[in-house]
Amino acid sequence: MRKKPRFHSLKKLKVRQDWSRWSLYSISQLKAPDLVRRTYFQQKWTAKSDTRAYHGEQIREKKWRRMFKRNLPAVVPMDHKYLARYDGSEQAAGRGAGVDANEDKRAPLATPYMQMAYFPIERRLDTAIFRSLFASSVRQARQFCVHGLVRVNGKKMPYPGYMLNPGDMFQVEPSSVMFATGARKTRTSTGRRIAKEKATERGTALSQTGQTPPPPTQALPQQPIREEPTPTELKKHLQSLMHDVEDVLIADVKAKDKQKFRAFRQTVRKAISLWRTANPETISTLDTQLAFLKTQVAKASAAAASTPSSPSSTSDDDPAGPLMSPDDQEKLKSAFEKLRFESQHASAWNAKDARLPYATPWRPRDYMAAFAFIPRYLEVNQNICAAVYLRHPVARPGLAEVPTPFHQETGQLAFNWYLRRR
Amino acid sequence: MPPRLRASRFSSAVVARSPTQPQSTSQPARVSREFSQTSCQQTTLRRRKFYEWLNGPGSALREPIPGSTNYLGAYDRYGNLVRAGPGWSRKSPTEPEPEKQLDEETSVNEPSPEKSGEEKLEGQETIDELEMSVRREEESKKKTKTDESDKLPPETAQDLQPFPLNKWFRSQPVLSEELREAIYQRVHKGGATVSLASVEFGVSNERVGAVVRLKQMEKEWIAQGKTLALPYARAVLGMLPTTPHVDTSRPGNRSKRPITHEAINDLIVHPATRQQLFVPVAESRKFTREDAGKAFDNQLLPADARIPHPELIQAERELASGLSFEERKRLATERIAQEQAKKTKEEEARQADLRAQKRVPQRRWDFVFKDVSVDSVGRNGRDPRGVGWRYGFPHEDRKKGQVKIPTKVEA
């Protein structure tokens, strides 16, 4: 039996509708067709075969030939001000008398009709799912449909070949979308072994200790008696705190910026431990930490203001009044807000969870950014993994809405192939 | 005996690598067996080139650039980011990057309409001059805020091409989260009609409807406590160019105008106008758009009636005729009221039709009785609207090979 050809072959480079590095490499190696040394039929054949490997590769050729339409849709953006001012007669007026002879008009942009040859395929449900970035390949989108993870207008649609109508809303199961677009889980034998060992350890520990693990009763160590912080000390600590606040404010809630948040938490804890009334157990939540810091700083600044003859206020810097200016306080507050959001984000939405089929915390898969675009005929809401098919893709002056990686000549040749006059 | 080569050798090696470490290309030289179905396991020239490209120019595309798009069209053959200044360097993922600004408008990256002379071709939307000036101003503000060398300049049209060979396609901006929320609030709470919101935000009619529908669903999900795909949404919106929301009600934005997302007055090219016509017309005759439409097709209406926002033309005409502001406002409200009345009348008629049908509720489905006519089969008896079994017209819907995929799903 003849071997099935590879889907991604380096011998015959074909661009496929997926986010793989093979496709990226093929796109980077694409060239304009050779129009000189080959016969017209050869050119058309190659163009057809290359474009069909990308557009609707999962559809049989006969089916596609029935879908093909020679009338390609296009729009022209109109200017309502022009339409209001002129009725169009000025374009023809005086033409016979040579009015427009010496008039140099800028040529309007060409409408790239020939890049639209495969527009009927964009109407298919599986392609639309791929285009709205819910699946990493059309084949995966197709699988989502077949597995019943896709709904059209709220009803389950198991047919990947369903032709979307303008206004149809389709939604994909968010967990599947996260799986399809997320980085893959690394499943190494070492990782598996470690997980297994840990599980057995836990099991043996549980069986040895008996049915009830003893509650962690630790005697609270005697709190060391500390002095109230001196104003200079306080100032120094506050400065470092504000430095961390700045860091947190510019940080984004991502896995990379975790260390900033962690550092901020550390400094906050340190700043609180300055006061002897502070007890790390009682002041553990973010809210209490913020409130505590505020009251203590206000108290300290008030005290410093009442005793202007304190030994440290000899120099020109004034520790008394602005230990914390109002906008600094604002900043501190927003930093705490961000910290809370981050912790929520990490715990509820993007937590580490070994049971999920993708790498956690979630991050986009490799090379996704190079393929991430959403055509204008779709309106996507990523939060709920739903999208609306607004209208059929159109060509407009200077722009074709069908995403195709090929040269315009290739598109034209492929279109000519399907005109059935070869 | 040497260990057997696994088929998944390459993929497993790639999966286990860290992002900084280059992908392995080392393959033991191995003579493939003759008459074997197994494909060649040697490091061929093609494979070597593939990994060379992947570890060289292609390595920049593996991870997204924070706060910017990362398409193939933005790089040259050697993998250098063309628009980046000499001081710019890609931050490694371990090192924190201090380039994200918290300011709402500036943190959202926007595509720049600036193009070089040869790139003039790419602009497809008619961005008028005021718009351009607004964007340029924002860009200049951004530029002055940070030093130029280590900051990535905004994307040009070429940087937004995911496919370098196809210059007719580029990644167009999508609506930002704030803009979607603003549109939803305007339509849902502010009570604006869809067409009014469309004009205000520069977003097409259909898109306004879709945004409201999707936002509504999102709110329902939040109310139900369902898990949203938030990390996914954040990552995707970070990779795409987005249209920022300019809130004109805020005191800082008084002088600005909302940025137009797309052309809202798109005229569909009618198939009848695809041909070239030569119509001899007397020079003395006033040959208008309407006449031109008639020349192509008798049913073809002029562009004024076929664009999605004909009311804008009406408003512009009233403005040109010198009516006062109050007068124009009165006329506009009259028009809107008329339209509303027409819509409610249509809706009532539809509801009345529904009520006239007899409905017998069952456990899973309802029986609905409709009036049918035997004449609907047409003269030759082959019209698909005909009901019942007709002689010589077989029912084929149970036959093999008949398409059973539904053609529409009721919303």
Side-chain angles (χ1 to χ4, degrees):
Chain A
M1 204 182 94
R2 192 167 158 256
K3 214 180 86 181
K4 219 178 145 198
R6 273 170 179 269
F7 192 63
H8 291 297
S9 162
L10 289 175
K11 208 176 271 182
K12 276 187 183 169
L13 273 182
K14 299 274 189 220
V15 189
R16 303 284 184 184
Q17 274 184 336
D18 58 14
W19 299 344
S20 68
R21 55 212 168 107
W22 310 91
S23 291
L24 195 62
Y25 179 64
S26 318
I27 291 170
S28 75
Q29 301 299 313
L30 275 180
K31 285 195 284 294
D34 176 11
L35 300 179
V36 182
R37 278 183 292 268
R38 312 182 72 207
T39 66
Y40 189 42
F41 184 89
Q42 284 171 338
Q43 291 172 23
K44 284 195 292 185
W45 175 272
T46 318
K48 179 220 78 172
S49 118
D50 285 350
T51 49
R52 279 285 283 136
Y54 180 78
H55 291 285
E57 160 273 327
Q58 77 279 20
I59 311 167
R60 273 168 297 152
E61 183 66 10
K62 199 177 242 177
K63 232 174 149 189
W64 155 241
R65 258 183 317 191
R66 296 202 56 145
M67 274 161 73
F68 174 77
K69 287 193 189 70
R70 47 179 303 164
N71 280 335
L72 302 172
V75 295
V76 182
M78 300 302 283
D79 183 13
H80 67 270
K81 285 182 183 154
Y82 168 79
L83 290 179
R85 230 170 296 140
Y86 303 101
D87 62 353
S89 61
E90 89 288 347
Q91 291 194 6
R95 277 189 98 167
V99 166
D100 63 336
N102 50 3
E103 194 181 339
D104 65 327
K105 260 197 205 143
R106 253 186 52 214
L109 289 173
T111 305
Y113 279 104
M114 286 299 113
Q115 298 292 61
M116 299 284 296
Y118 289 97
F119 87 94
I121 288 182
E122 301 300 313
R123 219 184 132 181
R124 283 174 60 99
L125 180 59
D126 51 358
T127 313
I129 288 169
F130 171 70
R131 293 294 186 209
S132 34
L133 308 181
F134 292 154
S136 65
S137 69
V138 172
R139 293 235 163 206
Q140 194 174 36
R142 190 183 166 83
Q143 195 184 38
F144 284 168
C145 294
V146 171
H147 289 192
L149 303 168
V150 179
R151 293 171 171 274
V152 175
N153 287 336
K155 295 194 180 67
K156 194 172 97 179
M157 175 56 68
Y159 306 109
Y162 172 70
M163 299 300 249
L164 288 164
N165 296 313
D168 271 356
M169 180 170 78
F170 53 95
Q171 55 194 111
V172 187
E173 199 60 37
S175 54
S176 309
V177 172
M178 304 259 286
F179 164 67
T181 57
R184 274 183 293 180
K185 211 174 188 174
T186 50
R187 287 201 184 82
T188 57
S189 54
T190 350
R192 265 200 299 272
R193 209 188 54 222
I194 288 170
K196 209 172 178 184
E197 276 171 9
K198 269 188 182 166
T200 49
E201 251 174 44
R202 239 178 291 137
T204 50
L206 207 67
S207 60
Q208 274 171 8
T209 49
Q211 50 274 39
T212 51
T217 51
Q218 51 192 26
L220 275 171
Q222 187 63 36
Q223 287 288 320
I225 305 297
R226 270 167 288 155
E227 294 299 307
E228 289 286 342
T230 61
T232 40
E233 219 180 353
L234 196 57
K235 194 169 166 63
K236 210 180 79 194
H237 271 282
L238 276 181
Q239 266 170 1
S240 68
L241 184 67
M242 288 323 288
H243 179 73
D244 273 359
V245 163
E246 301 280 337
D247 264 2
V248 163
L249 285 182
I250 59 172
D252 201 1
V253 184
K254 253 185 274 170
K256 292 183 214 173
D257 295 331
K258 279 272 164 58
Q259 59 243 38
K260 279 180 200 162
F261 292 108
R262 224 172 290 139
F264 180 60
R265 283 198 172 169
Q266 291 270 343
T267 41
V268 165
R269 218 165 286 145
K270 225 186 266 173
I272 284 173
S273 68
L274 274 179
W275 281 281
R276 101 188 110 96
T277 48
N279 183 354
E281 276 73 44
T282 56
I283 308 174
S284 55
T285 66
L286 290 170
D287 284 324
T288 50
Q289 276 178 359
L290 180 60
F292 180 80
L293 267 185
K294 260 190 186 165
T295 51
Q296 291 301 326
V297 166
K299 237 189 261 173
S301 51
S306 63
T307 57
S309 58
S310 90
S312 68
S313 65
T314 50
S315 60
D316 53 358
D317 67 321
D318 180 26
L323 262 178
M324 248 181 154
S325 63
D327 56 327
D328 267 5
Q329 282 191 7
E330 270 302 301
K331 269 187 189 166
L332 188 66
K333 208 170 154 192
S334 52
F336 267 94
E337 278 296 311
K338 204 157 180 202
L339 199 61
R340 180 177 308 127
F341 177 71
E342 189 267 345
S343 61
Q344 264 179 10
H345 183 74
S347 64
W349 306 112
N350 206 4
K352 207 166 161 63
D353 188 354
R355 282 166 305 170
L356 292 174
Y358 45 87
T360 46
W362 188 91
R363 62 191 155 83
R365 61 161 55 204
D366 286 350
Y367 305 108
M368 179 178 172
F371 297 100
F373 52 82
I374 296 179
R376 279 276 165 88
Y377 55 85
L378 294 167
E379 173 58 35
V380 185
N381 191 329
Q382 283 87 8
N383 287 329
I384 52 173
C385 296
V388 174
Y389 183 78
L390 297 178
R391 52 184 166 78
H392 300 316
V394 291
R396 55 178 71 236
L399 195 106
E401 278 186 352
V402 174
T404 175
F406 303 101
H407 194 257
Q408 198 186 11
E409 296 281 358
T410 313
Q412 183 160 15
L413 287 165
F415 182 74
N416 274 332
W417 172 271
Y418 288 108
L419 285 180
R420 304 288 302 173
R421 299 277 179 274
R422 45 177 185 266
Chain B
M1 193 177 146
R4 263 184 67 193
L5 264 179
R6 275 176 298 149
S8 62
R9 191 180 179 95
F10 262 99
S11 56
S12 67
V14 164
V15 163
R17 55 114 192 94
S18 76
T20 48
Q21 176 190 343
Q23 300 181 353
S24 77
T25 59
S26 63
Q27 281 280 303
R30 191 175 291 270
V31 183
S32 64
R33 295 163 299 161
E34 277 175 46
F35 311 115
S36 167
Q37 294 260 310
T38 319
S39 55
C40 180
Q41 298 288 340
Q42 285 178 19
T43 324
T44 58
L45 177 67
R46 292 191 193 97
R47 194 166 295 205
R48 207 161 49 232
K49 275 192 172 159
F50 170 64
Y51 279 106
E52 257 168 30
W53 186 87
L54 217 56
N55 294 327
S59 61
L61 292 159
R62 182 178 298 151
E63 305 266 330
I65 303 175
S68 164
T69 58
N70 194 13
Y71 294 125
L72 200 53
Y75 293 89
D76 64 1
R77 269 176 54 212
Y78 309 104
N80 302 319
L81 195 58
V82 178
R83 72 174 188 279
W88 185 80
S89 69
R90 215 188 152 105
K91 305 284 185 301
S92 68
T94 51
E95 167 188 350
E97 72 271 17
E99 59 198 285
K100 197 90 175 174
Q101 294 154 337
L102 260 210
D103 194 358
E104 279 171 8
E105 294 136 36
T106 48
S107 68
V108 187
N109 61 332
E110 74 230 50
S112 99
E114 281 178 34
K115 293 171 201 88
S116 55
E118 60 182 28
E119 293 296 329
K120 272 274 157 57
L121 211 69
E122 252 77 6
Q124 40 83 40
E125 273 135 30
T126 47
I127 305 164
D128 50 326
E129 281 307 305
L130 189 55
E131 196 73 45
M132 297 270 271
S133 68
V134 169
R135 288 195 187 198
R136 271 200 208 104
E137 182 192 308
E138 272 185 20
E139 263 156 38
S140 63
K141 202 171 71 191
K142 233 195 269 179
K143 265 180 194 163
T144 49
K145 218 178 250 180
T146 56
D147 53 332
E148 320 248 324
S149 59
D150 64 338
K151 178 89 177 132
L152 206 55
E155 293 99 336
T156 60
Q158 206 193 354
D159 294 328
L160 289 171
Q161 285 178 17
F163 309 121
L165 212 54
N166 182 4
K167 60 175 182 174
W168 303 105
F169 177 77
R170 63 188 162 84
S171 172
Q172 290 173 287
V174 297
L175 301 177
S176 61
E177 240 357 301
E178 301 90 52
L179 188 49
R180 282 183 210 163
E181 185 61 38
I183 291 173
Y184 175 75
Q185 294 297 345
R186 185 77 185 89
V187 175
H188 209 249
K189 302 271 156 58
T193 59
V194 167
S195 60
L196 184 60
S198 159
V199 173
E200 276 178 11
F201 291 100
V203 171
S204 72
N205 276 336
E206 308 97 70
R207 198 177 299 277
V208 169
V211 163
V212 172
R213 194 172 162 196
L214 291 169
K215 262 285 168 199
Q216 179 78 41
M217 197 169 166
E218 188 185 329
K219 308 265 173 198
E220 277 167 20
W221 277 39
I222 291 171
Q224 289 166 11
K226 281 192 189 175
T227 314
L228 306 184
L230 272 190
Y232 165 74
R234 292 176 66 93
V236 168
L237 287 179
M239 288 175 200
L240 294 170
T242 48
T243 307
H245 173 48
V246 177
D247 190 2
T248 43
S249 63
R250 270 175 47 187
N253 292 338
R254 282 266 174 248
S255 59
K256 287 181 192 161
R257 259 183 33 176
I259 290 176
T260 309
H261 179 66
E262 59 192 331
I264 54 171
N265 266 331
D266 276 345
L267 179 72
I268 295 169
V269 175
H270 194 272
T273 60
R274 290 248 168 79
Q275 55 179 330
Q276 210 171 10
L277 269 194
F278 291 95
V279 184
V281 175
E283 246 184 82
S284 56
R285 187 178 157 200
K286 201 169 159 66
F287 193 75
T288 60
R289 270 198 293 277
E290 212 161 331
D291 299 326
K294 290 255 171 61
F296 279 112
D297 190 288
N298 268 329
Q299 310 294 321
L300 188 59
L301 294 172
D304 316 42
R306 289 174 55 222
I307 59 172
H309 288 285
E311 78 275 4
L312 284 183
I313 298 178
Q314 194 63 36
E316 193 70 26
R317 283 207 184 116
E318 281 163 11
L319 185 67
S321 65
L323 291 177
S324 70
F325 178 71
E326 276 72 35
E327 191 79 353
R328 277 186 287 136
K329 198 172 171 185
R330 191 181 57 77
L331 286 172
T333 45
E334 258 177 29
R335 271 200 302 272
I336 289 176
Q338 267 178 15
E339 209 163 297
Q340 286 290 343
K342 198 176 148 203
K343 245 181 209 167
T344 48
K345 206 173 159 191
E346 275 172 11
E347 181 61 26
E348 269 169 18
R350 210 171 60 82
Q351 291 297 334
D353 271 2
L354 278 182
R355 263 180 271 121
Q357 283 172 3
K358 195 183 173 196
R359 214 165 243 281
V360 181
Q362 292 292 312
R363 191 169 54 88
R364 285 181 71 184
W365 313 104
D366 292 355
F367 287 117
V368 179
F369 293 94
K370 287 181 187 169
D371 284 342
V372 291
S373 152
V374 284
D375 297 335
S376 57
V377 293
R379 259 223 305 261
N380 58 1
R382 297 199 147 254
D383 198 299
R385 274 167 298 183
V387 283
W389 184 84
R390 289 168 333 266
Y391 187 76
F393 195 79
H395 267 317
E396 294 195 323
D397 49 359
R398 294 272 173 159
K399 242 173 137 180
K400 203 175 132 197
Q402 296 294 314
V403 180
K404 297 175 191 75
I405 299 176
T407 51
K408 65 175 178 192
V409 180
E410 292 299 330

Short mmCIF file of all heavy atoms in Angstrom, two decimals, chain A residues 1 13 43 323:
data_model
loop_
_atom_site.label_atom_id
_atom_site.label_comp_id
_atom_site.label_asym_id
_atom_site.label_seq_id
_atom_site.Cartn_x
_atom_site.Cartn_y
_atom_site.Cartn_z
N MET A 1 0.84 -1.20 0.00
CA MET A 1 0.00 0.00 0.00
C MET A 1 0.87 1.24 0.00
O MET A 1 1.91 1.27 0.63
CB MET A 1 -0.88 -0.01 1.26
CG MET A 1 -2.12 0.80 1.13
SD MET A 1 -3.06 0.77 2.66
CE MET A 1 -2.46 2.24 3.44
N LEU A 13 6.93 21.53 0.62
CA LEU A 13 6.49 22.50 1.63
C LEU A 13 5.09 22.96 1.32
O LEU A 13 4.83 23.53 0.26
CB LEU A 13 7.43 23.69 1.63
CG LEU A 13 8.66 23.58 2.51
CD1 LEU A 13 9.44 24.86 2.44
CD2 LEU A 13 8.28 23.29 3.93
N GLN A 43 1.34 26.15 -14.17
CA GLN A 43 1.23 27.22 -13.17
C GLN A 43 -0.07 27.10 -12.39
O GLN A 43 -0.10 27.17 -11.16
CB GLN A 43 1.26 28.58 -13.86
CG GLN A 43 2.58 28.94 -14.47
CD GLN A 43 2.48 30.19 -15.29
OE1 GLN A 43 1.58 31.00 -15.09
NE2 GLN A 43 3.38 30.36 -16.23
N LEU A 323 5.61 62.17 55.83
CA LEU A 323 6.11 60.80 55.84
C LEU A 323 5.51 60.08 54.66
O LEU A 323 6.10 59.22 54.05
CB LEU A 323 5.71 60.11 57.13
CG LEU A 323 6.80 60.07 58.21
CD1 LEU A 323 6.27 59.40 59.45
CD2 LEU A 323 8.05 59.40 57.70
#
